[in-house]
Amino acid sequence: MTIKVLLADDQALLRSAFRVLVDSEADMEVVGEASDGAQAVEIARARGADVVLMDIRMPGTDGLAATRMITEDPQLADVRVVMLTTFEVDEYVVDSLRAGASGFLGKGAEPDELLAAIRIAAAGEALLSPAATKGLIARFLAQGDGSGDEGAYDASRLDALTVREREVLVQVGGGLSNDEIAARLEVSPLTVKTHVNRAMAKLGARDRAQLVVIAYETGLVRAGA
């Protein structure tokens, strides 16, 4: 199956470089380019993109707003967004994840990292930047701003989870893969995958990245723990 990729960045030169890279792969193709967020949403709807490489900062409708528009549209439920940042310590990283992005990647990432990011996102996995990784996200989520903002997650919704599903969610929040969780809990990877999928369904999470956010925002996992 070919992964349909949409490039959203206001820098034409960067889009061109990404297009050459993506189109060189047998399992993916660029189906469109956008110079702002609103255009990205329109193209995603029209051309059935699987993964959107979305710049956070763009004129007009920025990447954060566009991500919310995509994740809130039932017709785009299968679209995954990977946020591109100039600096990986970015104030909008967590907002991006809360908005429904599958993860983020620095624009200075190596070509292989970018291609891997597209494949990971398309598979529904959490993409946490190799350089910044889970620690950065955990730190931002743990700090917050103390204002009880709209991104806060109702911890009582965790009551819907079984004890085992909570245990698995803790490990997901820690950044472990299904195989790593299986080894730690002494169960099969398939069993872990089942628990992850059930937790996602019960919590209304689009993908694994959203489970990571939920794990921190509910206090189930804490930075440094």
Side-chain angles (χ1 to χ4, degrees):
M1 182 179 294
T2 301
I3 302 171
K4 299 178 181 179
V5 181
L6 170 59
L7 308 175
D9 195 295
D10 61 324
Q11 298 181 45
L13 184 60
L14 189 60
R15 293 199 310 271
S16 296
F18 285 162
R19 174 181 281 275
V20 170
L21 179 63
V22 171
D23 283 342
S24 69
E25 297 298 296
D27 63 338
M28 58 182 74
E29 66 173 330
V30 174
V31 294
E33 296 183 26
S35 58
D36 65 47
Q39 187 180 23
V41 176
E42 291 178 3
I43 295 175
R45 288 179 179 142
R47 302 184 186 176
D50 298 311
V51 177
V52 181
L53 293 181
M54 183 87 74
D55 186 17
I56 288 183
R57 297 180 177 125
M58 291 184 287
T61 303
D62 65 15
L64 188 58
T67 297
R68 288 198 182 99
M69 293 168 69
I70 289 174
T71 59
E72 291 174 359
D73 187 338
Q75 294 183 346
L76 301 177
D78 294 330
V79 178
R80 298 291 177 256
V81 178
V82 174
M83 302 301 280
L84 297 174
T85 67
T86 303
F87 302 102
E88 298 200 35
V89 179
D90 195 303
E91 61 193 280
Y92 299 117
V93 165
V94 173
D95 287 338
S96 300
L97 294 176
R98 285 171 172 162
S102 295
F104 63 96
L105 193 71
K107 288 186 178 181
E110 294 295 325
D112 288 347
E113 292 178 345
L114 181 66
L115 295 173
I118 293 171
R119 295 187 177 99
I120 290 170
E125 295 292 323
L127 172 69
L128 303 181
S129 168
T133 63
K134 300 86 182 174
L136 173 63
I137 296 172
R139 188 165 67 253
F140 271 102
L141 287 172
Q143 289 174 349
D145 60 11
S147 63
D149 67 326
E150 295 179 359
Y153 192 87
D154 183 3
S156 67
R157 291 186 63 184
L158 293 179
D159 294 341
L161 302 182
T162 65
V163 173
R164 180 58 90 179
E165 287 165 356
R166 280 183 179 241
E167 290 176 343
V168 170
L169 180 55
V170 168
Q171 305 305 320
V172 171
L176 274 66
S177 67
N178 283 356
D179 288 344
E180 291 170 333
I181 296 172
R184 180 167 292 189
L185 299 182
E186 299 183 346
V187 296
S188 72
L190 181 59
T191 296
V192 173
K193 182 177 181 179
T194 298
H195 288 312
V196 169
N197 289 339
R198 287 176 178 171
M200 286 172 56
K202 291 179 180 179
L203 298 174
R206 283 171 56 89
D207 56 24
R208 200 182 187 94
Q210 297 308 295
L211 287 182
V212 175
V213 173
I214 290 170
Y216 282 103
E217 289 196 322
T218 57
L220 188 63
V221 176
R222 298 185 182 278

